[in-house]
Amino acid sequence: MTPPRLLFLNGPNANLYGLDAKGTYGTESFPQIEARCRAQADRLGASLDFRQSNHEGELIDWVQAARKDTDGLLINGAGLTYTSIALLDALLAYEKPIIEVHMSNIYKREPFRHHSFISKAATGIVAGLGPLGYELAITAMVQLIEKVRQA
Ligand code: DHK
C-alpha cells in the first residue's frame, strides 16, 4: 500500500504564528508547528507536503494541482476562510477528504469569523486546539484515507 499523501495548506499570515506571545495563537512558531506535523505524519507512515502562502491564487493553484497526486488535503485558510468563494470552489472540485483546521475556536471570536466558506467543502473541522489540533487533524486524515481505500 502506498503511503497516504497529505497536503497541508496554510493561508495568509499563518507564518506569523508564535511571534506575539500575548496574541491569540500562542508561542509555538510556524516552523515548530510544521515540525510537529511532520513528526506525526512520519509516525503514521504518511508523506506530508506542508505549505503556506499569503496569496489566494497561489493557494487555489495548489488545491487544483493536488487533485492529481494527493490523497487528502488539510487547510487553514486563515483570513480567506471568510472571504474566498474562489478557494471554496477549488476545494469543492478536489473530490477527496478535506479537513479544515483553525488554531483558535473561531466561534468564540468576532462574528465575522463565524461563517467559514471552506466548511462547505470540508469533511470535518478541527478548531480551538492550537498546534495540537494540527497533529490531530493529520491523524484523522490518515484514517479517512484508509477508509476510502477500504471502500
Ligand atoms: C487563523 C487566522 O489567521 C485568522 O484569520 C482566522 C485562524 C483564524 C486560526 O484560528 O487558525 O480567523
Side-chain angles (χ1 to χ4, degrees), residues 12 17 25 76 78-79 82 102-104 106 109 113 134:
Y17 291 155
Y25 304 114
N76 184 343
Y82 321 103
H102 298 283
M103 289 273 272
S104 61
I106 57 174
R109 300 183 64 192
R113 294 184 209 269
Y134 283 62

Side-chain angles (χ1 to χ4, degrees), residues 32-46:
Q32 285 171 324
I33 294 170
E34 176 175 357
R36 193 190 258 267
C37 290
R38 290 203 177 286
Q40 185 65 1
D42 283 353
R43 279 191 284 273
L44 298 171

Side-chain angles (χ1 to χ4, degrees), residues 77-150:
L80 294 171
T81 303
Y82 321 103
T83 62
S84 182
I85 293 170
L87 182 56
L88 167 63
D89 285 343
L91 292 168
L92 287 171
Y94 179 67
E95 294 177 337
K96 292 171 192 173
I98 295 174
I99 299 182
E100 176 181 357
V101 180
H102 298 283
M103 289 273 272
S104 61
N105 178 353
I106 57 174
Y107 301 102
K108 245 176 133 175
R109 300 183 64 192
E110 306 94 319
F112 64 82
R113 294 184 209 269
H114 294 179
H115 180 263
S116 160
F117 284 111
I118 287 175
S119 291
K120 188 164 174 49
T123 312
I125 305 169
V126 177
L129 302 177
L132 171 65
Y134 283 62
E135 222 175 288
L136 296 175
I138 286 174
T139 305
M141 179 56 83
V142 169
Q143 291 192 24
L144 288 175
I145 293 167
E146 279 166 6
K147 219 167 148 190
V148 169
R149 287 179 173 182
Q150 280 159 16

